[in-house]
Amino acid sequence: MLDMALILHAEHGGGNNSTFTTCVVTSSGTDTYSAIAAALCSLKGPKHGGANLRVMGMMNEIKHAVNDWTDDDEIAAYLERILNKDAYDRSGLIYGIGHAVYSISDPRARVFRGWVEKLAEAKGETDEFGLYSRIERLAPEIIAKHRRMYKGVSANVDFYSGFVYKMLGLPQELYTPIFAVARIAGWSAHRMEELMNVNKIIRPAYMSVCNETPYTDMENR
């Protein structure tokens, strides 16, 4: 199960935040340790690899707040509270739902889900898996109802990964390092590609699109 999780969490394309961080930092000419440390700092963010920790926190709150884990209406009502910044961390995000690239479905999550279900059966956690499944089904409907959607939204691989690691008895402090273990081969490959093929620093250009305003001296601001 852990092998499958590592495979599904591996680097997938280079456009993700931590891999791009590796390339940017490498382009400055710094050493490998610094480049990978920067990638780790990116990965631990809650909108990136740290999302599974936020999913776990959110699910713990839902498990305590929802009396009937089989009641779609009660679950949906609490998800709406999260979306309206009235519950959990007040961010308005239902963690584990949505991805910057995968919209209609995250193929990694689709593969992972079957394995998670088998593990839940083996560990006697079918009730909790059922709660996850209902949230996976209900959350996209609720998000689409309250937010203007230009593309689909679905569960991503982080939605289930924390649940898996918990069932495997792994401490939460290892969740992000495990993700890094899965990504390190890809980070290294992109770093080597940058070193061998490019000898120029990545330096994004910024252009202001603001309207010009007259200067105001300090005492009048």
Side-chain angles (χ1 to χ4, degrees):
M1 187 70 203
L2 185 58
D3 285 344
M4 175 58 69
L6 291 171
I7 291 168
L8 292 175
H9 282 83
E11 153 60 22
H12 60 125
N16 64 80
N17 198 286
S18 55
T19 303
F20 183 61
T21 297
T22 304
C23 294
V24 171
V25 177
T26 294
S27 76
S28 75
T30 193
D31 58 277
T32 299
Y33 298 101
S34 298
I36 299 304
L40 280 163
C41 291
S42 165
L43 189 71
K44 70 187 287 286
K47 293 179 182 178
H48 194 16
N52 55 17
L53 289 169
R54 292 298 175 98
V55 172
M56 293 300 290
M58 178 185 76
M59 291 302 298
N60 286 335
E61 186 168 294
I62 290 173
K63 285 188 290 184
H64 287 96
V66 174
N67 294 317
D68 185 354
W69 293 3
T70 65
D71 188 333
D72 283 4
D73 292 336
E74 189 178 2
I75 295 168
Y78 201 79
L79 291 176
E80 290 197 2
R81 286 187 59 195
I82 293 175
L83 203 62
N84 292 325
K85 301 181 180 182
D86 186 40
Y88 188 42
D89 63 358
R90 306 300 195 273
S91 67
L93 297 175
I94 300 177
Y95 290 100
I97 305 295
H99 190 271
V101 176
Y102 301 129
S103 54
I104 297 174
S105 70
D106 182 339
R108 303 167 302 167
R110 291 178 65 182
V111 172
F112 205 25
R113 192 181 191 282
W115 289 74
V116 178
E117 184 174 13
K118 292 177 184 178
L119 182 63
E121 290 173 358
K123 295 289 185 177
E125 298 284 0
T126 53
D127 288 346
E128 188 164 343
F129 177 77
L131 177 60
Y132 271 84
S133 297
R134 285 181 170 81
I135 292 172
E136 180 183 7
R137 173 171 52 84
L138 293 169
E141 298 173 3
I142 293 167
I143 292 170
K145 186 170 67 174
H146 289 274
R147 302 274 170 85
R148 182 179 293 178
M149 300 299 299
Y150 297 99
K151 60 180 181 178
V153 64
S154 60
N156 59 53
V157 72
D158 292 320
F159 183 67
Y160 284 110
S161 61
F163 181 39
V164 165
Y165 299 152
K166 186 191 78 168
M167 288 190 287
L168 293 177
L170 299 170
Q172 289 193 7
E173 291 80 5
L174 289 182
Y175 289 8
T176 301
I178 289 170
F179 204 156
V181 167
R183 287 283 162 103
I184 190 68
W187 288 345
S188 299
H190 282 283
R191 173 169 166 78
M192 288 188 288
E193 182 180 48
E194 195 72 31
L195 290 171
M196 290 187 295
N197 299 326
V198 184
N199 189 27
K200 189 175 182 180
I201 190 169
I202 296 174
R203 199 271 186 205
Y206 288 87
M207 182 176 67
S208 175
V209 295
C210 299
N211 295 323
E212 288 191 15
T213 56
Y215 175 77
T216 304
D217 52 38
M218 289 297 293
E219 58 266 23
N220 293 319
R221 293 184 189 179

